[in-house]
Amino acid sequence: AQSVTQLGSHVSVSEGALVLLRCNYSSSVPPYLFWYVQYPNQGLQLLLKYTTGATLVKGINGFEAEFKKSETSFHLTKPSAHMSDAAEYFCAVSSFTGGFKTIFGAGTRLFVKA
Amino acid sequence: EPEVTQTPSHQVTQMGQEVILRCVPISNHLYFYWYRQILGQKVEFLVSFYNNEISEKSEIFDDQFSVERPDGSNFTLKIRSTKLEDSAMYFCASSESRSTDTQYFGPGTRLTVL
């Protein structure tokens, strides 16, 4: 069975500060990992994904995430927060287990203070 | 840029009524998905669909739910007899191939059951 745990339902940072959103996963097969962002009243937009290969993945809007198998983690970072980064962020895990299914974490709402 | 579209954006219905939520996936995509997000909660997988049949479904997707691809462009989710707890945002998504590929999400349909 797969699961995703996002540590911290709310994270608040100052503009220009480092953003760190934590995600840990559980999967019985090699996972494929995703970060999505959701702005108010909008759908989900893919930030980045890890499938295979390089464990440090770069995405849109300056975000990146590192897959650490030993820690079962896929934390999302951005060196310098911008006001426009304020949104809900979802970590997700997917794997082919005879079917196609993506499991989402509970989400972390990012607040950016001026 | 191609995008997934969903109609209607907001549906209000009476408990016990049938509703059909419509989605137009990206045209060359082969895999289709429905997710739901109850207000303030995480995104939950409902069902995936490939080659005109359900590939996988969650425990939420009971006999009250069905999906169909009635023509070459639409992908629908039907709820036969809505309950209050079906009130949620329903997202359609599509991907070009396997679930390891990026899933593109539509903007969602907000379903309100009274």
Side-chain angles (χ1 to χ4, degrees):
Chain A
Q2 297 171 296
S3 66
V4 178
T5 302
Q6 290 184 240
L7 300 174
S9 58
H10 297 84
V11 170
S12 182
V13 300
S14 298
E15 194 173 20
L18 171 72
V19 175
L20 171 60
L21 305 183
R22 299 178 187 273
C23 172
N24 288 89
Y25 70 90
S26 172
S27 178
S28 57
V29 297
Y32 301 98
L33 297 159
F34 306 82
W35 275 99
Y36 286 88
V37 61
Q38 184 181 34
Y39 297 100
N41 300 314
Q42 293 188 26
L44 297 162
Q45 180 183 8
L46 181 71
L47 278 178
L48 49 78
K49 65 178 180 180
Y50 168 80
T51 54
T52 58
T55 56
L56 182 62
V57 180
K58 294 186 186 300
I60 62 171
N61 301 338
F63 284 94
E64 61 182 38
E66 186 170 11
F67 169 59
K68 292 187 176 180
K69 184 178 179 181
S70 60
E71 298 177 9
T72 61
S73 69
F74 191 58
H75 301 331
L76 181 71
T77 61
K78 181 174 180 178
S80 176
H82 192 272
M83 297 296 287
S84 61
D85 295 326
E88 185 98 22
Y89 292 80
F90 293 94
C91 181
V93 63
S94 178
S95 63
F96 180 70
T97 54
F100 311 111
K101 181 176 178 178
T102 299
I103 302 298
F104 285 81
T108 297
R109 181 164 296 279
L110 177 66
F111 297 92
V112 182
K113 300 174 291 188
Chain B
E1 184 177 327
E3 59 182 18
V4 177
T5 59
Q6 291 184 243
T7 54
S9 57
H10 191 189
Q11 173 91 46
V12 181
T13 189
Q14 296 291 324
M15 190 169 55
Q17 295 295 305
E18 174 184 288
V19 294
I20 297 176
L21 309 183
R22 291 182 167 77
C23 168
V24 179
I26 294 173
S27 61
N28 64 330
H29 286 187
L30 301 177
Y31 294 79
F32 314 111
Y33 314 83
W34 283 102
Y35 295 84
R36 79 172 186 190
Q37 185 181 30
I38 295 171
L39 187 63
Q41 298 186 26
K42 66 180 179 181
V43 177
E44 300 173 291
F45 170 80
L46 291 178
V47 66
S48 59
F49 191 86
Y50 168 69
N51 199 27
N52 283 319
E53 61 183 26
I54 290 174
S55 175
E56 190 157 352
K57 60 183 180 180
S58 72
E59 57 276 7
I60 302 169
F61 194 88
D62 60 22
D63 292 344
Q64 292 299 311
F65 291 88
S66 62
V67 288
E68 191 179 28
R69 189 155 163 80
D71 52 43
S73 60
N74 290 283
F75 179 51
T76 62
L77 173 69
K78 183 193 291 186
I79 308 175
R80 289 189 182 80
S81 178
T82 50
K83 307 183 191 70
L84 295 177
E85 54 265 36
D86 293 327
S87 294
M89 183 74 96
Y90 288 81
F91 292 106
C92 173
S94 69
S95 63
E96 192 170 350
S97 59
R98 296 168 42 155
S99 66
T100 54
D101 283 340
T102 299
Q103 292 182 30
Y104 292 85
F105 283 77
T109 292
R110 180 167 296 285
L111 176 65
T112 302
V113 182
L114 302 176

